[in-house]
Amino acid sequence: MKKTWWKESVVYQIYPRSFKDSNGDGIGDLNGITEKLDYLKELGIDVIWLSPVYESPNDDNGYDISNYQGIMKEFGTMEDFDRMLARAHELGIRIVMDLVVNHTSDEHPWFVESRKSKDNPYRDYYIWKEGKDGREPNNWSSCFGGSAWKYDEATDMYFLHLFSPKQPDLNWENERVRRAVYEMMDWWCQKGIDGFRMDVISMISKDPAYPDGELKENGYGDYGPYVYNGPRVHEYLQEMNREVLSRYDLLTVGECAGVTVEEARRYANLDSRELNMVFQFEHMNLDGGETFKWNDRKIDLVELKQTLSKWQTQLHEKAWNSLYWCNHDQPRILSRLGNDGDAYREISAKMLATCLHMMQGTPYIYQGEELGMTNVPFSSLEDFRDIESINAYHEYVERGRITPEDMMRYLCCKSRDNARTPMQWNDEKNAGFTEGAPWIMVNPNYPKINAKEQLSRETSVFHYYQKLIRLRKEHEIIVYGNYTLLLPEDPALYVYTRELDGEKLLVVCNFSDQAKDFSLPEGFSPRKLTRLIGNYDRPAAEVRMELSPYETIVFLQASK
Ligand code: TEU
Ligand code: CA
């Protein structure tokens, strides 16, 4: 397989609003990030993915952009950005920008023009349709609740918004839209940025017939089949690749809601005609249900293994995987799949990290994951800031579909705000995030869980992540080796091997809070094994081992 830097990198995601506030207004900012670059250097990551920092009215925290070439005032200035980029580059850290071009803000000048009249030059930048019998053009629901169409009086027509009504969808059928997007991307590349994470890029091409979708329990239709991986999406990405991506040395990752393995082999093919890799959602959706993600179900380990293994083996030598447990849209993995109680918090955080980081693909760490940050004990709706959470509460509770008590519990399990509380830097006021009043509450566990404490202790989760990152640099097998799942039906153990040029890696993870027996699989012998990393003191391998709760170990077996 061809070796490239983005296959060998570890990416760290920063959600700027919650990372570090440098001026006391309670909102994280670019100068705050610059202050903390040394911290990231120490962790050892290669690339930062920066969630959006562009001008935005913040209906969806920056995922609603009103100027792609300007910096959001709360976050600083373009000079601050340039300084951050230069300092990152000095440290050998690359910066990947969030590219949100499925939609803009309704306050973007293109939309302001577009809604003025039917013959405005920007009219076709967006998706406008006539109503049907005095109703919306079709039954699609928006991702954040309600109809995906909004009526606009000025021209007596509806525009499409798959997310909030303040996020109108761009019309990618319009060549002028595509040109404008490519020019904007090129401008950032000229500035020296190192890649793009492309927001819901699998949704940019819609079925031109706009048919009604299958009715869901909320009374709206499912747009999925007519939007995900739509008819022209690969054509658009190949064009984008020719016009922009192929001219620079970039990391590109498409956030691909609704992507299947077959589609991913096209988006992220090793022939590099489109993107380097995609974010798939299958493993994150395993605890979903009839009321979307709003429940308190646990992910079943057997299903998780099946899903992740499918991606590992079916992309092998065809396309490239991304690896993630966390991002700004997901609750904290430690609370979701691990154990956030005192006894096993750090142990299970290390186990989850090992399970992910020993797989094939480019790993992504979300801010605070490396500290073992947990979900947040929100106690009332007023604690939430996220548009998705707040809308969902109203939608499900007011329809009488979910009781207020249950819905609060589900929000605590699943709300995106679990990931968005401030980064916990130290045990001082507001976890050292801000001198002022933070825009969202700080997790009250910060006196215990914070970067300062983690850095001071050799056995911490932070130092464990540091070691995982170092191992990836020292052993090609971790990057390029093939993957085989063992014990697929075991409900507690996740065991897999990697193999490259006769060398073998054995990765053992106990996902349960019980001790478990484990025998070395065929082809491995204790004498030949070196222990690369683990979360308990276990000096040597044995043919039979009793694994402790949440134990993980990685063994390397040399080729001869
Ligand atoms: O997320 C796309 C997406 O699919 C999410 O809406 C996801 O379904 C949801 O968060 C799960 O609960 C991207 C961004 O990552 C997200 O923050 C934005 O809100 C969204 O696009 C719109 O830009
Ligand atoms: Ca600030």
Side-chain angles (χ1 to χ4, degrees), residues 11 14 106 130 144 163 185 195 231 236 247 251 261 273 280 321 373 388 428 430 505 526 544 555:
V11 184
I14 292 183
D106 66 340
E130 304 281 353
F144 295 152
F163 295 90
M185 292 172 71
Y236 296 154
R247 303 181 183 207
L251 182 158
V261 162
R273 284 169 69 210
Q280 57 89 14
N321 268 298
M373 277 178 65
E388 181 193 55
E428 289 155 42
N430 297 323
L505 202 64
R544 279 233 157 103
F555 293 115

Side-chain angles (χ1 to χ4, degrees), residues 320-338:
W320 193 250
N321 268 298
S322 72
L323 305 170
Y324 74 96
W325 287 137
C326 299
N327 60 41
H328 65 293
D329 293 334
Q330 299 294 338
R332 295 282 178 181
I333 200 65
L334 178 48
S335 303
R336 191 175 187 181
L337 266 176

